[in-house]
């Protein structure tokens, strides 16, 4: 099962800002600046939004931003749009057996 | 640049399948690769990892001894041999490429579905 804990769902109105959290431990999120975030529309391939906690790949909107405090990382989406409705997953490098861990996913709804 | 998975299907408990992922548009041999799965209504779970050379493979505890990851750089492909299938192995299996210099996954396939039922 997923070892990084995310809230099941978050919702907001168009134009608003929302924040999604991802909680791990000091052997993954808290111990490395290696958190990444993905946007997933069911049936499609997941898309990388953020890597190394706060870096955006080329082509990703600056409405998406990442941060981290202790064992919890966060993804913020500003200026919420209808096509932001998707599932968002976090990931982190880990010092444990499996080097890369993923989160339980957060479904974002735009009201 | 893309990844395309195949090989999923419906299998009885105890059965086997071989999943394949073919890469195109990039120099496959440079990249570490992983298989990640998503069970119905669940989050993502790392299943198996291979280094770029193939010399290092790592498995989730839940699949160790039953799943085998391998790569064929001549065919730009990575495979996942799954055996002794359990009901809890039912999931969408994604193939993904790790970025060259950062611990994140920048290319994903759309997944292949594995169903397990008697």
């Amino acid at each position: 099962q997923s070892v990084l804990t995310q809230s099941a769902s978050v919702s907001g109105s168009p134009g608003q800002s929302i924040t999604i959290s991802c909680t791990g431990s000091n052997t993954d999120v808290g111990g490395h600046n290696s958190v990444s975030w993905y946007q997933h529309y069911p049936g499609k391939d997941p898309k990388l939004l953020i890597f190394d906690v706060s870096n955006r790949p080329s082509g990703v909107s600056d409405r998406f931003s990442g941060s981290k405090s202790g064992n919890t990382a966060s993804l913020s989406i500003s200026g919420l749009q209808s096509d932001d409705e998707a599932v968002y997953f976090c990931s982190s490098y880990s010092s444990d057996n499996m080097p890369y861990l993923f989160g339980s996913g957060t479904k974002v709804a735009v009201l | 640049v893309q990844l395309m998975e195949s090989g999923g299907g419906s299998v009885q408990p105890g059965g086997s399948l071989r999943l394949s992922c073919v890469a195109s548009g990039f120099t496959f041999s440079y990249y570490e690769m992983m298989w990640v799965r998503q069970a119905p209504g669940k989050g993502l779970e790392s299943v198996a990892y291979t280094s770029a050379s193939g010399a290092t493979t790592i498995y989730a505890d839940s699949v160790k001894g039953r799943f085998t990851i391998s790569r064929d750089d001549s065919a730009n492909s990575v495979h996942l041999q799954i055996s002794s299938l359990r009901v809890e192995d039912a999931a969408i299996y994604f193939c993904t490429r790790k970025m060259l210099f950062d611990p994140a996954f920048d290319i994903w396939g759309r997944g292949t579905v594995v169903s397990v039922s008697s």
Side-chain angles (χ1 to χ4, degrees):
Chain A
Q1 66 270 20
S2 306
V3 293
L4 304 180
T5 301
Q6 301 180 235
S7 47
S9 62
V10 172
S11 61
S13 300
Q16 283 188 329
S17 297
I18 62 169
T19 298
I20 301 166
S21 63
C22 169
T23 301
S25 69
N26 55 14
T27 60
D28 40 71
V29 175
H32 308 277
N33 287 323
S34 303
V35 176
S36 52
W37 290 92
Y38 305 84
Q39 178 188 58
H40 187 213
Y41 298 105
K44 300 289 184 81
D45 47 314
K47 176 185 177 182
L48 175 65
L49 296 176
I50 298 286
F51 66 97
D52 288 350
V53 177
S54 59
N55 292 319
R56 279 186 305 276
S58 174
V60 173
S61 171
D62 59 5
R63 297 188 301 107
F64 296 95
S65 62
S67 62
K68 190 188 85 165
S69 177
N71 293 340
T72 298
S74 300
L75 174 71
S76 296
I77 309 175
S78 62
L80 205 60
Q81 301 175 358
S82 58
D83 60 1
D84 294 331
E85 277 206 346
V87 178
Y88 293 81
F89 291 99
C90 62
S91 177
S92 175
Y93 178 80
S94 170
S95 305
D96 291 335
N97 170 56
M98 177 57 72
Y100 302 101
L101 305 176
F102 289 89
S104 48
T106 299
K107 187 171 184 178
V108 168
V110 181
L111 305 174
Chain B
V1 177
Q2 67 175 2
L3 299 170
M4 186 167 295
E5 304 94 337
S6 63
S10 182
V11 187
Q12 291 187 333
S16 300
L17 277 176
R18 187 178 190 239
L19 308 184
S20 296
C21 170
V22 177
S24 59
F26 63 96
T27 305
F28 179 73
S29 61
Y30 287 0
Y31 290 87
E32 299 163 68
M33 301 293 295
M34 277 192 66
W35 285 95
V36 178
R37 69 185 179 185
Q38 183 179 26
K42 303 292 185 182
L44 295 178
E45 179 188 17
S46 303
V47 173
Y49 159 91
T50 177
S51 61
S53 69
T56 298
T57 56
I58 301 172
Y59 300 91
D61 289 343
S62 58
V63 307
K64 209 171 288 185
R66 301 186 300 120
F67 288 19
T68 303
I69 188 171
S70 61
R71 63 187 300 153
D72 180 355
D73 290 350
S74 68
N76 291 334
S77 62
V78 59
H79 306 283
L80 187 68
Q81 179 69 44
I82 53 181
S83 58
S84 302
L85 271 162
R86 303 170 180 169
V87 171
E88 57 265 32
D89 294 321
I92 303 173
Y93 283 73
F94 296 97
C95 167
T96 184
R97 179 185 91 169
K98 182 193 160 296
M99 295 173 75
L100 271 179
F101 303 116
D102 296 283
F105 299 90
D106 61 345
I107 305 296
W108 294 72
R110 293 195 173 189
T112 186
V113 177
V114 172
S115 303
V116 184
S117 67
S118 52

